[in-house]
Amino acid sequence: MPKRVCIVGAGPSGLVAAKSLLHDASAGTFDVTLFDSQTRLGGLWPAHGNDGTGLVHPRMVANQSKHTVQFSDLAWPDDAPDLPRAWQIGQYLAQYHKTYCSDATLRLGTRVERAEPLQPDASDGQEAGWMVHTCSVEGEVKQEQFDYLLVASGFFGKPFLPNASENEHKVPAIHSSQYRDLHGLLGKGDGTGSKILVVGGQMSGVEIAGTIASHLSSATHSPSPSLVPNPENYTIQHLIQQPVWVFPLHTSPKPKAPAPPFLPLDLGSYNLANRVHPLTNSQGHISPEAAKIVHSIYQTAVGTDQSDFSLETSVSAADTEKPPFIAVSDNYLDFVRSGLISVHHGKLVTLSGNEATTSPSGEQISDIAAVVFATGFTAASSISFLPQPVQAALNLSPSDLNNTVALAFHGTHHPDVPNLGFVGFYRSPYWGVMEMQARFLTAMWAAGGPSSPSLPPALKNALSNDTSIERTLALRTDPLASQFPMGDYAWLMQEFAAALGLTRSPPLAEMPRLPPAGKEMDILTPARYASRSLTEFQQGEVTESLKKTEATAWAGLGSAKFVARAVFRSLLGEWKLERELVSKLPSHPSGHFSGTAKFLLRDGTRDGRESEFDALDDGGDPVSEYLYVEEGDFKAPNGLTFRATRRYVWRYNEKKDKLSVWFVKTDNQKRADYLFHQVNFIVPKGGGEADGMGWEATADHLCIDDFYDVMYRFNFQAVNLRDWRLAYTVKGPKKDYTIDGVYSR
């Protein structure tokens, strides 16, 4: 008779656990029931583009690519972007459930209220299992008996709010997971105040500060009226406790190259060719010596200590002896440089009225209009259905947001409660690790439990040498604990694979070679660790997934793919512009322009591309664009000087990976009119090392009888534009001149 398994949670952890129990064990070994309090599956991940029921904005862009945000044997659709949005991840999970979990019983809209361990029968010495009490959204109460209980209810159980948030205050205050738009944040206030205070300096703090800044920028510079009055009057005050490295979504595996190629951040981060094998754990306790090495790697990757954005974002020499913290945002640092985001160092002590006080400096931030707490989540609520003796056995520490429970073998179980398992119960639940945890529990339970003599030798050896519980308890009081203490992704995958007798498959074909060692890229993805027994369908999905990853690596390193996006991202903000105009005809004056050029971020608009824009479905995203505003003085050789200005709209098309420039309407210069030109990047020979120059691009445009021949040169310093050049040669019946402009920060 199959063993009954109750899985609490139908997000990615619950689904991959169900799939493993149903497919990785012998047929009929387990009977699986999935419970979730939500009326849809997916957990954090919304089901569609307008789904506001979860803790994640449906249009949020994932900070890991689809090559990491996937399971081993289900490839993403061909038209999926490299960086999917949250609702697309929800649809991936729906397809995963349809493909692999149809034999599981799915009980949505049903909360597990209580789970009680049953007393074993002394006659057979077997664990008796669990009595699980549930309540549906309709109020139906049930109790059912299961042999095993698997917790997949998520580490992000309940938003954590600091004590200071409990003080009396009149301004709107929300957790970052609740933020959707400016009107939802500011519309509940009394209209006073000009500062939005964001509290929290790790991943979610940087992300939400950048998101709100982009919304303010869009509301200020879009042609449509803003739902929030006078959005240009607001600024963001970001309170952080320590410096954080901010990475864009695309980085370069050759950060020192004059024309650096770009790839999604995780493909470079998980290049195993850069690691010493066998892998050792790079997370947990971080010594000052190890911290300095990692800080140096990060500084090389971003090309700066971040002081050129703001002294408040810089990582000083003294900071490099502490464990590094990272965050991911495409626009945060440039919004800091522009002044829309101001960074403060300290901890929130009190929030009274519209004034906040920080420590240790005692700084007061006044004129607050709203507060967003990006202070993470408490995981204890996700296991509140477990009885107190079980929680005590797990060493529950609700106040420790990183090490809430102490579990054996990398967060999978506790030997004192052998019929209780965990999948995905930790921060940064990489999908490959979730899948490995599910496989591990399946193998262990199928063999009879952690103390069973039937355990395979590799699994038995892994359990006997495991120190995960002791390590977790030690990290709770370790001042040098890392940002993500459970363990680094690649090392965890290696450890699980060894315990399960799995091997990492080689790349399908030759991969690009990278300096300094000239080794082929060896990109870790879940598909590299496929199950040992695959159906023909599963093997096809694994192969397709690997092909997509390898094709992305080759495209990024062998063509100009992702360069347009990297340029577009790095244009944000204000530039100093010096331009020379040389005319061969007296009818068109020569001269020098000196001024500024501002790239003002806003939501994409439909002007000039109505059919493309209107074809977007409910979950479609027009991406962002810039309103380009140039202002300065033009001085002719004869001394005549006059004020000059011009505007364009710059757009990036994510599907086509193309950058384009559009004319604006004469009667409304916030609106695009028609296409000026599309920017075409030229792949440099030898990566541009020979001439030491950056990325070149060309464009052209015929304006009635006048032909514009356009040349760009973009000079990067790692991931950020240092300066760039735009030159035109214009020829026509009445025009013959050149324009050569240099943009610098």
Side-chain angles (χ1 to χ4, degrees), residues 28-99:
T29 303
F30 296 105
D31 177 83
V32 177
T33 302
L34 281 155
F35 294 91
D36 201 293
S37 59
Q38 297 186 103
T39 55
R40 59 156 179 81
L41 56 80
L44 291 171
W45 303 104
H48 52 77
N50 295 313
D51 180 4
T53 61
L55 294 175
V56 174
H57 195 297
R59 286 178 168 79
M60 182 198 78
V61 178
N63 59 21
Q64 303 273 331
S65 77
K66 66 182 180 183
H67 309 283
T68 298
V69 183
Q70 64 170 346
F71 294 123
S72 65
D73 48 9
L74 184 65
W76 278 84
D78 290 341
D79 60 351
D82 277 286
L83 293 168
R85 284 164 175 74
W87 67 271
Q88 292 169 314
I89 296 173
Q91 293 198 339
Y92 175 92
L93 289 170
Q95 183 60 43
Y96 188 80
H97 172 262
K98 180 180 178 181
T99 304

Side-chain angles (χ1 to χ4, degrees), residues 372-389:
V372 178
F373 290 100
T375 43
F377 295 82
T378 58
S381 62
S382 294
I383 58 170
S384 59
F385 54 84
L386 294 175
Q388 289 301 317

Side-chain angles (χ1 to χ4, degrees), residues 458-687:
L459 200 59
K460 184 180 296 184
N461 182 62
L463 289 172
S464 64
N465 293 321
D466 179 46
T467 59
S468 297
I469 291 177
E470 296 86 347
R471 181 171 170 274
T472 298
L473 295 175
L475 286 171
R476 285 180 175 173
T477 56
D478 187 347
L480 296 179
S482 62
Q483 184 178 11
F484 304 108
M486 178 174 166
D488 79 70
Y489 176 39
W491 176 75
L492 286 170
M493 294 292 281
Q494 170 189 273
E495 297 303 289
F496 275 110
L500 294 166
L502 297 176
T503 57
R504 186 175 69 249
S505 66
L508 296 176
E510 182 183 2
M511 291 292 286
R513 292 181 179 273
L514 294 175
K519 294 181 179 179
E520 289 188 29
M521 290 194 79
D522 188 12
I523 302 171
L524 171 63
T525 69
R528 297 286 303 278
Y529 285 103
S531 296
R532 281 176 294 182
S533 57
L534 296 174
T535 64
E536 184 177 350
F537 171 80
Q538 287 176 300
Q539 184 60 66
E541 292 295 297
V542 169
T543 301
E544 184 65 22
S545 177
L546 292 173
K547 284 181 178 178
K548 286 182 166 67
T549 301
E550 294 178 18
T552 299
W554 274 111
L557 292 169
S559 72
K561 188 171 178 63
F562 304 124
V563 176
R565 179 174 184 136
V567 167
F568 180 82
R569 173 196 63 79
S570 198
L571 288 171
L572 175 63
E574 183 173 336
W575 297 82
K576 180 182 178 182
L577 171 57
E578 300 292 338
R579 178 189 291 132
E580 292 289 342
L581 189 153
V582 179
S583 176
K584 296 181 180 179
L585 301 176
S587 58
H588 201 99
S590 299
H592 181 84
F593 175 91
S594 181
T596 61
K598 294 180 181 179
F599 287 84
L600 306 169
L601 191 66
R602 67 188 193 185
D603 290 340
T605 55
R606 66 190 298 270
D607 295 319
R609 51 172 182 173
E610 287 79 4
S611 59
E612 173 191 337
F613 198 90
D614 293 342
L616 294 170
D617 57 32
D618 289 341
D621 196 316
V623 197
S624 299
E625 65 185 26
Y626 291 119
L627 176 64
Y628 171 93
V629 179
E630 176 185 306
E631 295 176 314
D633 294 316
F634 183 85
K635 186 175 182 179
N638 61 7
L640 177 65
T641 302
F642 58 89
R643 196 71 177 164
T645 183
R646 67 172 70 182
R647 294 187 175 207
Y648 296 103
V649 171
W650 286 55
R651 288 169 167 162
Y652 172 70
N653 185 308
E654 185 174 22
K655 284 189 175 181
K656 297 179 180 179
D657 192 34
K658 289 292 185 181
L659 188 63
S660 59
V661 185
W662 299 66
F663 290 108
V664 296
K665 294 181 180 293
T666 55
D667 59 344
N668 185 344
Q669 295 198 337
K670 281 190 173 183
R671 297 183 61 186
D673 193 357
Y674 60 95
L675 179 66
F676 182 8
H677 60 257
Q678 182 171 277
V679 181
N680 301 304
F681 288 88
I682 303 169
V683 179
K685 294 180 180 180

Side-chain angles (χ1 to χ4, degrees), residues 191-276:
T192 62
S194 63
K195 298 174 182 175
I196 298 172
L197 177 63
V198 174
V199 181
Q202 293 197 40
M203 295 286 280
S204 59
V206 168
E207 287 178 359
I208 200 65
T211 297
I212 298 173
S214 67
H215 290 176
L216 285 173
S217 179
S218 182
T220 301
H221 303 297
S222 291
S224 303
S226 171
L227 294 176
V228 174
N230 304 314
E232 68 278 4
N233 292 340
Y234 291 95
T235 61
I236 296 164
Q237 310 298 308
H238 188 196
L239 182 60
I240 67 176
Q241 294 190 43
Q242 68 181 70
V244 58
W245 292 102
V246 182
F247 283 75
L249 291 163
H250 290 77
T251 56
S252 178
K254 298 180 180 180
K256 295 183 179 181
F262 291 90
L263 288 173
L265 168 64
D266 49 324
L267 295 196
S269 299
Y270 307 145
N271 178 14
L272 299 178
N274 293 334
R275 300 282 297 266
V276 176

